[in-house]
Amino acid sequence: MKQTRLITLDTSADGISLKAKTLDEIVAQRLPIREHAIVLVLFAHSQRGIEQSLWVYGNKGVPLLGDANNVDATVKTAAAFGTDTFLGDIASLTAAASNGLPSSVTRLVIVDSDVEFVFPKELSTHYECTYVAQRGSE
Amino acid sequence: MVDWFGVCYYHAMQYKEDLRRLFTARIRRLREEIAAKETTTEFRLMHTSGTTNEPLPVVYTKRPDWNPVFLGEGERVVMLFGSKPLRLDFVQAYFDTDTPNADVLFLDPGMETAVIVEAFNSFKPTTLVSPPTTLLRMTKNCSKEVLEQVSYIVLAGELLSEETAAALDVRFPRASVLNTYAATEVGEMGVSCPKCARNEFHPFSGVTFDINNPDEAGVGDVLVSKDNPGGITLEQYNIGDVGALGEHDGEQTIRLLGRRGYDYIKLAGALLVREEFDRVARELERYILDYKAEVATSEVSGAPVHSITLFVTTAMSVTENFEKTVAEEFSKRIFVTPNSTLKDAIRKGVFSPLTVTVVDRIEHTTIKPQRLYVVK
């Protein structure tokens, strides 16, 4: 039986490719986020943000999917909701941190393709930080 | 079990105490469920686009199901609206609904044309959900054969102009076009029928419209009341639109005419805010004594192109390059999205280059002193 699928679009030098994922496939990812977290999800690639938000729902959390083009509004809203976890990519973390992360956030989970990434000390000393390197995340 | 939502209005709408109370109650419930480690999958967190003032946080506790008309009837759905949380909510609606079992693809309004064209060619959508001008702009260069396969279009998020409606008919000759009325903080409110005038909507079940302080033509602020299965009714919420009540087939309708106030205009994902114009005009005060801006939308090769004309008075002696210089300085300073200037939007072809015209005197209307923009 056919299921509803989320289609994601990846771009590369060779052009674009479309990938279809069912909800079960999305939720099956492994991410180090606790159950029952309120998660600010912020990715430069908006389709990645939708996919990771579905993952949060599937793992007993509640996501606030933020807009990487409007980080200020996203961070303000996240503070109103009392988000405790930030889930995003390096670029979005940098943008959100420069706006000041909500004081309720205690945990940063970054998913990106840069295997060399190290959390800046000013973040790693204040937050519980986890980096997940994924190949070809975009 | 369907429950109800709460909305928080921090600044602009503090008089809506009932909405703030609901928001507080829903957030409390969310935190209680989190603390008790109960299921929280029914909560939806989002925020509005901020056109009423600042972005407003919104929380739903199992929002009422989306009306099926918003989900379309095709197998391959492309959604083009910008709000990320709303996109997530739509995806959830598809996953929550047994039918239709669709493949759903979201495309960003800011994507490069070549990517959009390739995505359309590969995906071959049958259903499109989008604000009307965004839809026209993003499909401008897509192949005719692909667009002719589109059978169903759901419009939302903007008033539909006569020119845009005509252009959509040409662009999508085989598609049924459904115009809808919805807002992030309220959800879906109404839908047009074939007998409706443009931007006229029948309320969905449980929704009623009133007009606040109607003028002699019956035009005034649109107030929305909405029954919710949780037992709490949203009463006479001022949604920020201007309109008049209508009726046909024995049913009340709402005819939308525009947004309240003229201190901003929302076009193709850009937000032209009066305060932002004022800020840049102040920065350029050596050039500009007073100004008035007009916005117009025209169709170029089947796609809407927006243009701004800035009428300015100046104390400077006007040289040959004066208007060009002011246009250049204004375009690179004014932001039309949080991260894009007018110059960026011009480069993408969303706006034509800013036109500056020096005049002797600015005629501000005496009826609405804040009215700086006119949509032709």
Side-chain angles (χ1 to χ4, degrees):
Chain A
M1 186 181 128
K2 185 180 182 303
Q3 295 181 55
T4 293
R5 300 182 300 179
L6 178 68
I7 309 298
T8 56
L9 181 153
D10 290 337
T11 56
S12 68
D14 299 329
I16 68 162
S17 59
L18 301 175
K19 293 177 183 170
K21 291 184 181 176
T22 65
L23 191 56
D24 288 342
E25 290 169 337
I26 291 169
V27 171
Q29 298 173 82
R30 297 176 67 86
L31 287 176
I33 293 179
R34 296 190 185 102
E35 293 182 350
H36 306 289
I38 305 177
V39 184
L40 167 57
V41 181
L42 194 62
F43 285 84
H45 192 295
S46 63
Q47 293 174 331
R48 167 56 67 93
I50 289 175
E51 188 179 333
Q52 300 295 25
S53 296
L54 290 169
W55 182 92
V56 172
Y57 272 128
N59 288 275
K60 301 181 182 178
V62 185
L64 166 65
L65 176 55
D67 185 349
N69 292 320
N70 196 355
V71 173
D72 184 46
T74 295
V75 169
K76 281 181 183 171
T77 309
F81 289 130
T83 52
D84 50 60
T85 303
F86 178 96
L87 169 62
D89 54 17
I90 296 169
S92 301
L93 171 68
T94 305
S98 67
N99 273 265
L101 286 162
S103 58
S104 52
V105 169
T106 59
R107 186 175 175 83
L108 308 179
V109 178
I110 302 306
V111 181
D112 214 316
S113 55
D114 180 1
V115 294
E116 306 284 320
F117 176 76
V118 177
F119 280 96
K121 195 172 180 183
E122 59 267 29
L123 292 177
S124 60
T125 54
H126 287 92
Y127 300 97
E128 188 181 337
C129 298
T130 308
Y131 184 72
V132 180
Q134 286 192 350
R135 280 180 56 204
S137 62
E138 298 306 320
Chain B
M1 175 63 188
V2 174
D3 200 344
W4 139 254
F5 62 91
V7 184
C8 179
Y9 292 80
Y10 281 131
H11 307 291
M13 301 178 186
Q14 288 189 355
Y15 59 90
K16 279 290 182 188
E17 182 59 34
D18 54 341
L19 296 178
R20 193 166 44 174
R21 181 172 53 80
L22 284 166
F23 173 81
T24 305
R26 297 286 75 88
I27 282 292
R28 187 184 309 123
R29 182 175 146 193
L30 169 62
R31 289 177 181 150
E32 286 170 359
E33 294 195 12
I34 291 276
K37 300 194 181 308
E38 294 177 4
T39 178
T40 50
T41 56
E42 295 184 340
F43 286 89
R44 301 281 187 273
L45 310 183
M46 55 181 74
H47 58 80
T48 65
S49 62
T51 53
T52 47
N53 195 341
E54 290 190 23
L56 308 171
V58 178
V59 58
Y60 290 83
T61 56
K62 181 58 179 171
R63 62 176 301 146
D65 293 334
W66 280 98
N67 190 295
V69 301
F70 283 89
L71 302 183
E73 54 188 23
E75 290 187 346
R76 295 180 301 281
V77 183
V78 168
M79 295 198 167
L80 300 171
F81 47 79
S83 166
K84 307 297 183 295
L86 206 55
R87 291 178 178 194
L88 178 60
D89 197 41
F90 264 102
V91 175
Q92 287 285 81
Y94 273 103
F95 281 125
D96 286 349
T97 308
D98 291 335
T99 57
N101 285 326
D103 286 344
V104 187
L105 170 66
F106 292 89
L107 297 177
D108 284 322
M111 281 177 169
E112 291 178 20
T113 303
V115 173
I116 294 167
V117 169
E118 206 174 335
F120 266 73
N121 288 344
S122 299
F123 190 57
K124 296 180 174 55
T126 55
T127 297
L128 304 173
V129 185
S130 174
T133 59
T134 302
L135 178 57
L136 269 187
R137 181 167 59 82
M138 291 185 69
T139 57
K140 179 182 172 186
N141 296 308
C142 294
S143 83
K144 191 177 173 187
E145 291 71 28
V146 169
L147 298 183
E148 284 180 347
Q149 298 306 308
V150 175
S151 59
Y152 192 66
I153 295 174
V154 182
L155 301 177
E158 282 176 357
L159 290 183
L160 178 62
S161 72
E162 188 176 346
E163 294 77 16
T164 301
L168 288 172
D169 283 345
V170 172
R171 180 81 54 89
F172 303 98
R174 297 179 55 195
S176 304
V177 178
L178 189 73
N179 198 12
T180 62
Y181 186 26
T184 302
E185 70 270 39
V186 177
E188 58 271 42
M189 292 177 283
V191 63
S192 287
C193 79
K195 293 180 184 174
C196 281
R198 261 186 316 108
N199 305 310
E200 182 180 20
F201 303 94
H202 291 271
F204 286 129
S205 175
V207 176
T208 53
F209 297 110
D210 296 290
I211 301 298
N212 189 34
N213 288 326
D215 64 14
E216 58 277 9
V219 175
D221 292 315
V222 176
L223 304 177
V224 181
S225 300
K226 189 170 181 180
D227 293 338
N228 291 279
I232 303 169
T233 299
L234 178 67
E235 292 186 4
Q236 299 207 318
Y237 165 59
N238 187 337
I239 197 159
D241 290 323
V242 175
L245 297 179
E247 183 183 341
H248 62 74
D249 292 343
E251 188 177 37
Q252 182 208 57
T253 60
I254 185 72
R255 187 165 46 92
L256 299 183
L257 301 168
R259 289 285 288 175
R260 165 51 62 197
Y262 293 88
D263 53 357
Y264 73 86
I265 286 178
K266 198 174 179 183
L267 278 176
L271 196 63
L272 311 182
V273 183
R274 182 172 61 90
E275 285 79 2
E276 176 68 357
F277 274 69
D278 288 346
R279 179 187 69 78
V280 178
R282 279 196 301 273
E283 283 186 16
L284 299 176
E285 61 185 0
R286 67 182 281 244
Y287 297 109
I288 299 172
L289 279 180
D290 195 8
Y291 79 96
K292 177 179 180 177
E294 286 189 359
V295 177
T297 300
S298 56
E299 194 186 313
V300 177
S301 304
V305 174
H306 310 295
S307 59
I308 302 173
T309 303
L310 203 64
F311 298 95
V312 302
T313 57
T314 183
M316 294 180 74
S317 56
V318 178
T319 59
E320 189 181 340
N321 287 328
F322 178 84
E323 290 169 340
K324 188 179 171 189
T325 301
V326 174
E328 177 65 23
E329 290 295 320
F330 214 98
S331 301
K332 74 183 184 189
R333 289 164 190 257
I334 189 162
F335 281 83
V336 295
T337 76
N339 294 314
S340 302
T341 63
L342 177 59
K343 190 174 181 179
D344 298 328
I346 292 168
R347 197 181 299 125
K348 288 181 181 174
V350 180
F351 283 83
S352 56
L354 175 67
T355 302
V356 172
T357 302
V358 177
V359 294
D360 295 332
R361 186 161 170 265
I362 299 290
E363 296 282 351
H364 291 294
T365 171
T366 55
I367 302 171
K368 292 180 184 297
Q370 292 181 331
R371 180 176 178 175
L372 293 178
Y373 311 120
V374 178
V375 178
K376 291 177 180 174

